[in-house]
């Protein structure tokens, strides 16, 4: 086999092992080192000391020199350098801080207050409880960026309330599943930080570029909720006074000041400090982490046990992301060295695709990868395969990244592997079946595709805010 054929075999074997359930980060590292040992094998360099060994040398000397020669392969130097590069990456420094902010906010007991307040404030709207649930999901998901946590908490809080208010089971389930995924798109998004580290695109421009598409998607979700509530009142009946009591204006204002504004202010402070150049993403993430602690203290929810859990989960998730990067870097380096990247580039060039056709093909592949893989694995492992091809088709990596971020909403919503549905099913009442949840997420899945079409046809939705804040 030629080197390029071995590279393609390496990629195919990796995908096969992933489907078998092997840990992805360590599979990447093992395959990178294994195939890299072959790629960088140089017997003259590795065993030159061994070949000059004196004939009277002891067996121990022979063994130690052989071991030294065995580990003199360049792939081990590559592994060490790539590990250091990842750990010294300043962009990734923001990841643990944003994660900590999310985990501490999750434990601040703010979600129930926020949902209750928004439910009362919007009670005169069609589908008011669904609107309140979606906005709560959007705010909470933006603050945490952790899909499973948002869907689970909102499933425990909002789903029973909507079912008690006679909402259609599928409709209520779809709202929570769709709203819970918004945190990977709307800044300050951890996913965009990871994409910035993988692609070299400025994270502040990515944040600015993702803001309007994120709001467009939220707007489409709200239009669907309100529209269906008007056209099909039985799916979202208006709440009775027993379900949503009348609250005096002064009391409602106080509830908004103590539930909605603190979380909204925290998000805007973090995001605003980044967009207006007052702080780097890492500094803003540190502000957010401190703000999360202050919120927990203000709501009297900060205990040593919760702080310990937040730190533990932050370290565990950060380690996963960093080791995925290490494995991906060494795998892609060996893959490229063997000529695999060139083979893919020549194959795509031979297809004679237009930029639109390439975008559709890339997004289709990412959509399909979203079934078995999580967004972090797709961004770190597979998106870099497309990045070198963007220049060939004249596609801006910033624009491509926002489309990918929109597309990855579908990885949590597409049956039969919709992880949001499984998160919700795990805590939903027994009469809410998995098929009900799948049925509920499908209209929101269509909204995601519609948002991608809007962004493609109106690219100013991506470029307007980066142009305003930082120039073209």
């Amino acid at each position: 086999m030629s080197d390029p054929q071995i590279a393609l075999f390496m990629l195919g074997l990796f995908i096969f092992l992933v489907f078998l359930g092997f840990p992805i980060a360590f599979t990447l590292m093992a395959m990178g080192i294994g195939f890299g040992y072959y790629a960088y094998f140089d017997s003259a360099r590795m065993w030159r000391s061994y070949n000059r060994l004196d004939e009277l040398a002891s067996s121990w000397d022979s063994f130690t020199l052989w071991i030294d020669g065995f580990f003199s392969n360049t792939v081990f130097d590559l592994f060490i350098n790539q590990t250091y590069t990842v750990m010294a990456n300043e962009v990734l420094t923001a990841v643990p801080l944003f994660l900590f902010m999310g985990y501490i906010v999750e434990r601040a007991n703010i979600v129930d207050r926020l949902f209750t307040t928004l439910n009362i404030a919007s009670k005169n709207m069609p589908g008011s409880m669904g609107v309140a649930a979606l906005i709560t999901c959007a705010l909470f998901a933006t603050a945490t960026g952790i899909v499973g946590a948002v869907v689970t908490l909102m499933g425990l809080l909002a789903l029973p309330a909507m079912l008690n208010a006679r909402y259609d089971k599928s409709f209520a389930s779809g709202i929570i599943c769709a709203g819970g995924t918004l945190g990977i798109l709307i800044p300050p998004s951890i996913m965009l930080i990871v994409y910035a580290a993988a692609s070299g695109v400025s994270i502040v421009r990515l944040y600015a570029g993702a803001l309007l598409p994120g709001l467009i998607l939220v707007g489409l979700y709200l239009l669907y909720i309100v529209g269906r509530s008007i056209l099909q009142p039985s799916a979202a009946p208006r709440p009775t006074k027993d379900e949503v009591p009348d609250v005096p204006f002064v009391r409602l204002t106080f509830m908004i000041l103590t539930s909605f504004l603190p979380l909204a202010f925290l998000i805007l402070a973090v995001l605003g400090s980044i967009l207006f150049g007052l702080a780097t993403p890492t500094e803003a993430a540190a502000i957010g982490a401190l703000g999360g602690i202050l919120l927990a203290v203000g709501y009297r929810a900060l205990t040593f046990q919760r702080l310990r859990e937040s730190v533990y989960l932050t370290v565990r998730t950060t380690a996963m992301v960093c080791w995925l990067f290490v494995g991906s870097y060494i795998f892609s380096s060996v893959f490229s060295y063997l000529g695999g990247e060139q083979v893919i580039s020549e194959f795509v060039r031979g297809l004679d695709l237009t930029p639109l056709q390439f975008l559709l093909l890339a997004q289709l592949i990412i959509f399909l990868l979203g079934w078995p893989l999580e967004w972090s694995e797709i961004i770190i492992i597979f998106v870099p395969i497309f990045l070198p091809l963007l220049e060939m088709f004249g596609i801006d990596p910033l624009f491509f990244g926002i489309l990918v971020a929109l597309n990855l909403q579908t990885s949590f919503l597409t049956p039969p592997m919709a992880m949001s549905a499984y998160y919700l099913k795990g805590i939903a009442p027994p009469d809410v079946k998995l098929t009900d949840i799948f049925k509920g997420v499908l209209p929101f899945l269509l909204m995601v595709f519609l948002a991608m079409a809007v962004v493609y046809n109106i690219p100013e939705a991506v470029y307007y805010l980066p142009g305003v804040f930082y120039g073209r």
Side-chain angles (χ1 to χ4, degrees):
M1 294 176 68
S2 64
D3 284 355
Q5 290 173 326
I6 291 175
L8 295 179
F9 173 73
M10 173 186 178
L11 180 61
L13 180 61
F14 166 70
I15 295 173
F16 175 73
L17 293 176
V18 166
F19 277 98
L20 288 182
F22 283 82
I24 292 178
F26 297 109
T27 301
L28 283 167
M29 285 187 280
M31 292 190 64
I33 292 175
F35 282 87
Y37 198 91
Y38 158 78
Y40 296 104
F41 187 84
D42 183 356
S43 59
R45 171 184 178 274
M46 294 165 62
W47 280 284
R48 60 186 174 213
S49 298
Y50 183 79
N51 291 335
R52 292 196 299 269
L53 193 67
D54 189 272
E55 292 182 0
L56 299 177
S58 65
S59 300
W60 175 252
D61 289 336
S62 300
F63 176 74
T64 54
L65 277 176
W66 187 89
I67 290 294
D68 181 63
F70 180 85
F71 285 104
S72 292
N73 192 295
T74 305
V75 72
F76 297 109
D77 300 328
L78 175 67
F79 180 71
I80 293 170
N81 290 334
Q82 297 292 32
T83 303
Y84 178 79
T85 299
V86 171
M87 301 308 171
N89 191 321
E90 293 185 4
V91 175
L92 291 177
T93 309
V95 170
L97 293 168
F98 275 129
L99 282 170
F100 180 75
M101 180 183 82
Y103 284 121
I104 208 75
V105 166
E106 177 192 342
R107 285 155 177 76
N109 293 337
I110 192 174
V111 179
D112 53 348
R113 298 175 183 227
L114 182 60
F115 175 67
T116 301
T117 301
L118 293 175
N119 194 17
I120 294 172
S122 63
K123 68 176 184 176
N124 293 321
M125 291 182 62
S128 58
M129 198 170 285
V131 170
L134 182 74
I135 296 176
T136 303
C137 279
L139 281 171
F140 188 46
T142 302
T144 64
I146 306 161
V147 175
V150 178
V151 174
T152 301
L153 280 178
M154 288 302 295
L156 290 169
L157 174 67
L159 183 61
M162 286 193 281
L163 294 179
N164 289 336
R166 306 173 308 284
Y167 268 59
D168 179 81
K169 290 185 290 186
S170 296
F171 188 39
S173 301
I175 292 171
I176 293 173
C177 289
T181 67
L182 289 168
I184 65 171
L185 169 62
I186 302 175
S189 161
I190 295 172
M191 192 224 76
L192 293 177
I193 296 176
V194 175
Y195 178 81
S199 65
V201 178
S202 166
I203 181 58
V204 294
R205 296 186 73 89
L206 272 171
Y207 274 2
L211 194 54
L212 287 182
L215 294 177
I216 288 171
L217 185 58
V218 173
L220 289 172
Y221 284 171
L222 289 173
L223 281 175
Y224 168 69
I225 293 170
V226 174
R228 181 171 176 183
S229 301
I230 294 172
L231 297 174
Q232 188 185 4
S234 61
R238 288 185 177 272
T240 64
K241 287 187 178 182
D242 292 334
E243 294 163 348
V244 182
D246 290 326
V247 174
F249 178 76
V250 175
R251 172 65 179 167
L252 179 60
T253 302
F254 178 77
M255 292 173 66
I256 293 173
L257 289 175
T258 56
S259 61
F260 176 78
L261 286 185
L263 184 59
F265 178 78
L266 175 63
I267 295 169
L268 291 175
V270 172
L271 186 57
S273 62
I274 295 172
L275 295 181
F276 289 104
L278 301 177
T280 65
T282 302
E283 293 165 346
I287 294 170
L290 176 61
I293 293 175
L294 294 178
L295 268 183
V297 171
Y299 286 104
R300 299 179 182 178
L302 184 64
T303 63
F304 178 75
Q305 180 62 26
R306 288 173 177 170
L307 183 63
R308 180 185 175 191
E309 289 174 358
S310 299
V311 172
Y312 168 73
L313 292 170
T314 298
V315 172
R316 188 181 70 175
T317 308
T318 303
M320 177 200 72
V321 171
C322 286
W323 286 118
L324 269 175
F325 263 105
V326 171
S328 174
Y329 277 17
I330 187 171
F331 184 93
S332 59
S333 296
V334 173
F335 182 76
S336 179
Y337 184 81
L338 288 171
E341 187 177 295
Q342 184 179 356
V343 170
I344 292 177
S345 177
E346 291 176 354
F347 173 75
V348 174
R349 185 180 283 109
L351 295 176
D352 197 25
L353 300 173
T354 65
L356 173 59
Q357 290 171 333
F358 170 75
L359 271 179
L360 290 174
L361 176 63
Q363 298 302 326
L364 175 62
I365 292 173
I366 292 170
F367 170 75
L368 294 176
L369 288 172
W371 291 14
L373 302 177
E374 294 194 18
W375 67 260
S376 55
E377 295 151 1
I378 295 171
I379 292 291
I380 296 172
I381 302 167
F382 291 97
V383 166
I385 295 176
F386 296 107
L387 292 174
L389 303 172
L390 298 182
E391 186 177 356
M392 182 194 312
F393 292 96
I395 298 171
D396 185 356
L398 169 65
F399 185 75
F400 183 76
I402 302 304
L403 285 179
V404 169
L406 277 167
N407 194 351
L408 287 176
Q409 304 288 308
T410 66
S411 67
F412 292 93
L413 300 176
T414 308
M417 302 299 291
M419 288 308 300
S420 287
Y422 291 104
Y423 291 140
L424 186 60
K425 176 56 183 171
I427 49 86
D431 60 321
V432 179
K433 299 178 181 178
L434 192 59
T435 52
D436 295 325
I437 302 176
F438 284 161
K439 181 182 175 183
V441 300
L442 289 178
F444 292 95
L445 190 62
L446 295 177
M447 294 299 106
V448 175
F449 294 138
L450 181 57
M452 293 178 68
V454 170
V455 169
Y456 178 79
N457 287 284
I458 310 175
E460 276 301 304
V462 172
Y463 293 121
Y464 177 72
L465 289 181
V468 168
F469 287 118
Y470 316 112
R472 290 291 184 180

